[in-house]
Amino acid sequence: MSQALNLTRLQAETKCNICLDDLQEPVTTECGHNFCQTCLRSFYEQGQELFRCPICRQPCNERNISTNDQLAMIVERAQDLYSLTSNSNSQETNTRCDQHNQVLTSFCEDDLQLLCDQCMELGSHNNHQVTSIAQAASHHRRKLHRLTKSLQKKLKEVHHLKILQIKNSQKLTQQAEAQRKKLTFEFQQLSQFLNREQKTAFSRLKDEERDLKQKLSENIAAFENHVSTVRGLFSHMVAGRAHSDAEILSRVKDFHQKSESLYPPDIVPAQIRREAYNFPPQYSALQKLIQRFTVQVTLDPETAHPNLLVSEDRKCVTLLKKKQDPPGSSESFTVSPVVLGIPNFNSGRHYWEVEVGKKSEWAIGICKANLSPGARRSSSAPEKCWRILWQGDCFVVSGPADPNSKLKVTIPRNIGVFLDYELGEVSFYSMPETSHIYTFRDTFTEPVCPYFYLRLHSEPLRLCSASDGGRNPTGGLNSDI
């Protein structure tokens, strides 16, 4: 039996670590590992000179791969010896029951247990399917043969997943490098004080790359552990074919339990989040954003409070002392002097500009487009509203994720609003100075729209041209923007 086990171990050493079959046209890498020639070529991309060994992960040069004719002969001799040993090992050896010291004569299919005559007399196997050892061994040899084939297939699938994950790790490095180049290009457009922001962004990218690589390394290690477990079970299965019927049947229960519990690890995705590295607009070339993302915003008279007068071109809103007659529609605000803008936004980047007066009190921002009737009848700002409120000498900022706070700034002439829906940011600028006032950061899950609020004695709010932050007397947006 020792000779058979040694032969089985020899045969296991002549297996390819990729396909797990006998080595075909074996080749050896410069790190000393052996593979089928076709298997190794399929592992690395055609034309790729450098790659990592599937076993030890050492860098290898495709030019240094050598054919191993001597190993090919050893594989052939091992196959011949195994065939001769299997044919000569046809005689059965009698095995005795550990409990009764009697010759084992039967096998219980229900308990997967060898039995002697006294075991049968005890009655614990009544109504069980009991067959002779020879019949049971023949049946389970066929089952183990099918199971061996299934395990071999599982090993190939797991190896394939492992190879894909290794390639994902390589792609992650390429993605990080491509992202780094793109960030560098954007940072080149920034002024000198943005070097601090550049280092911060690279640090975030490096941390995410490191964390993802760590997760991928752990995932690959989990695959390697799983492969080792499956390979061990596979080796036991191969070795079992040289055992006697009784020995096979004594271990078949353990083989079944282990094979049924084999589940490969889940794949860890390797994708860098692009949105984490978008520049806040206050740190970018604002004029470039204005030219690219300006939208035509108009006022919606159907939402206007009865004291608000919307001009015919829907570009200007004025607060009146008396309510208009007839009253507004069911969508209008009835308590707070508010009017909403059109269109609604549920994606993308958008910029618009509002000319404001020097008197208090007014507010500009965005809010949830589909407000409830209760929110339109409330005296306070809607729950989902991100706005800056001018109070004559300072701004009060308020939003769902921002506590009310005051900002001391110079009196603005125009207010520029920049919305980045996916990034979850809405920023406000004093124009034409392009001075950043404030940025709300939140998560937008519903359509939003422009928001305008006026109090008594405030000057009209007017949607104006966004070109160069200048004032357009007609109140319209330039057609070339």
Side-chain angles (χ1 to χ4, degrees):
M1 187 57 64
S2 176
Q3 181 180 359
L5 287 176
N6 288 333
L7 181 57
T8 300
R9 292 171 183 167
L10 172 62
Q11 191 184 39
E13 292 298 326
T14 59
K15 301 290 184 183
C16 172
N17 285 291
I18 294 178
C19 70
L20 304 179
D21 280 333
D22 290 336
L23 285 162
Q24 301 290 331
E25 298 180 358
V27 294
T28 304
T29 60
E30 51 190 313
C31 57
H33 291 107
N34 304 303
F35 308 92
C36 298
Q37 187 177 70
T38 55
C39 292
L40 189 60
R41 283 181 177 175
S42 65
F43 176 76
Y44 61 89
E45 299 176 2
Q46 188 173 6
Q48 179 182 351
E49 185 174 352
L50 293 176
F51 66 96
R52 291 188 178 274
C53 172
I55 302 301
C56 65
R57 306 290 298 134
Q58 290 296 319
C60 297
N61 194 316
E62 189 268 340
R63 297 178 180 177
N64 296 332
I65 297 175
S66 59
T67 58
N68 197 328
D69 296 333
Q70 186 177 11
L71 180 57
M73 294 181 63
I74 294 174
V75 173
E76 185 177 349
R77 295 294 181 269
Q79 291 172 340
D80 294 340
L81 287 173
Y82 186 80
S83 178
L84 291 172
T85 303
S86 298
N87 293 334
S88 64
N89 193 27
S90 58
Q91 294 183 348
E92 298 292 332
T93 58
N94 290 334
T95 306
R96 291 186 173 273
C97 176
D98 292 336
Q99 185 176 0
H100 305 115
N101 197 28
Q102 292 188 6
V103 176
L104 297 168
T105 59
S106 306
F107 183 75
C108 177
E109 293 287 352
D110 294 79
D111 295 330
L112 298 178
Q113 181 180 348
L114 286 163
L115 307 175
C116 68
D117 292 340
Q118 191 170 346
C119 292
M120 298 286 292
E121 292 174 359
L122 293 176
S124 58
H125 298 278
N126 289 344
N127 301 322
H128 288 187
Q129 182 182 355
V130 179
T131 61
S132 68
I133 287 181
Q135 183 180 356
S138 177
H139 169 69
H140 282 281
R141 280 184 189 276
R142 292 192 299 271
K143 290 188 67 174
L144 288 175
H145 177 72
R146 292 193 297 269
L147 182 58
T148 300
K149 292 293 185 182
S150 175
L151 286 174
Q152 193 173 23
K153 183 179 178 181
K154 286 182 179 179
L155 278 171
K156 289 181 179 180
E157 292 174 351
V158 171
H159 265 291
H160 178 67
L161 292 175
K162 175 186 172 183
I163 290 171
L164 289 179
Q165 198 69 328
I166 290 172
K167 290 184 177 181
N168 280 341
S169 179
Q170 296 169 350
K171 288 180 180 179
L172 172 63
T173 301
Q174 295 172 358
Q175 290 175 1
E177 182 61 26
Q179 196 68 265
R180 191 175 290 110
K181 289 180 180 178
K182 189 170 184 178
L183 284 171
T184 301
F185 174 77
E186 292 185 4
F187 270 119
Q188 288 174 350
Q189 302 177 58
L190 305 181
S191 56
Q192 188 174 5
F193 74 92
L194 291 180
N195 288 333
R196 180 180 66 256
E197 295 296 326
Q198 182 181 18
K199 293 177 182 178
T200 301
F202 278 142
S203 177
R204 288 200 305 268
L205 177 59
K206 184 178 180 181
D207 290 344
E208 184 171 4
E209 180 186 3
R210 183 194 62 231
D211 293 343
L212 282 174
K213 279 194 172 182
Q214 177 65 27
K215 291 178 181 178
L216 287 172
S217 297
E218 293 172 355
N219 193 235
I220 292 170
F223 273 111
E224 292 174 345
N225 291 335
H226 185 74
V227 168
S228 177
T229 301
V230 178
R231 184 185 290 116
L233 186 57
F234 175 77
S235 297
H236 284 300
M237 291 293 185
V238 173
R241 292 186 297 190
H243 295 165
S244 67
D245 291 350
E247 288 174 325
I248 288 177
L249 296 175
S250 66
R251 301 179 183 182
V252 69
K253 185 175 183 178
D254 184 52
F255 284 163
H256 280 288
Q257 290 176 344
K258 289 182 177 179
S259 64
E260 290 172 359
S261 63
L262 292 174
Y263 296 99
D266 294 331
I267 284 288
V268 174
Q271 182 63 46
I272 291 179
R273 297 175 293 110
R274 173 64 183 102
E275 64 272 16
Y277 310 103
N278 282 331
F279 285 95
Q282 64 268 28
Y283 295 142
S284 299
L286 181 59
Q287 196 58 45
K288 178 181 176 182
L289 296 179
I290 291 174
Q291 294 172 356
R292 182 174 178 182
F293 298 112
T294 292
V295 292
Q296 296 279 354
V297 172
T298 58
L299 303 171
D300 184 3
E302 297 296 319
T303 64
H305 183 275
N307 286 92
L308 293 180
L309 174 64
V310 176
S311 63
E312 291 185 4
D313 62 2
R314 299 187 179 184
K315 295 288 186 177
C316 180
V317 58
T318 305
L319 182 63
L320 304 177
K321 294 183 179 181
K322 294 183 179 181
K323 293 184 179 181
Q324 300 180 76
D325 190 32
S329 70
S330 60
E331 297 183 1
S332 63
F333 287 78
T334 58
V335 178
S336 292
V338 171
V339 60
L340 302 181
I342 301 174
N344 298 341
F345 306 113
N346 57 12
S347 64
R349 294 176 171 182
H350 312 279
Y351 177 88
W352 61 96
E353 201 165 306
V354 185
E355 180 183 337
V356 298
K358 298 180 180 179
K359 299 179 181 178
S360 61
E361 164 181 333
W362 49 263
I364 293 173
I366 62 171
C367 72
K368 185 176 75 169
N370 302 318
L371 291 174
S372 65
R376 297 174 188 270
R377 293 193 297 267
S378 174
S379 59
S380 59
E383 180 182 358
K384 293 288 187 178
C385 183
W386 300 262
R387 68 175 192 171
I388 57 172
L389 173 66
W390 179 252
Q391 292 187 331
D393 59 350
C394 68
F395 278 113
V396 175
V397 298
S398 62
D402 299 71
N404 289 346
S405 58
K406 293 186 177 182
L407 300 173
K408 286 286 187 178
V409 296
T410 58
I411 299 175
R413 191 173 88 185
N414 289 5
I415 299 293
V417 185
F418 184 84
L419 168 65
D420 190 323
Y421 191 94
E422 280 75 19
L423 195 58
E425 291 187 353
V426 56
S427 301
F428 300 87
Y429 301 88
S430 177
M431 303 298 287
E433 299 85 0
T434 67
S435 173
H436 176 246
I437 299 174
Y438 192 76
T439 294
F440 290 99
R441 293 177 174 85
D442 211 328
T443 300
F444 303 133
T445 58
E446 302 175 81
V448 295
C449 65
Y451 169 96
F452 306 90
Y453 167 90
L454 286 88
R455 289 296 299 269
L456 197 61
H457 305 305
S458 294
E459 295 183 16
L461 298 178
R462 184 182 301 276
L463 290 158
C464 62
S465 170
S467 60
D468 301 324
R471 184 178 300 179
N472 186 343
T474 65
L477 289 169
N478 289 352
S479 59
D480 60 342
I481 295 179

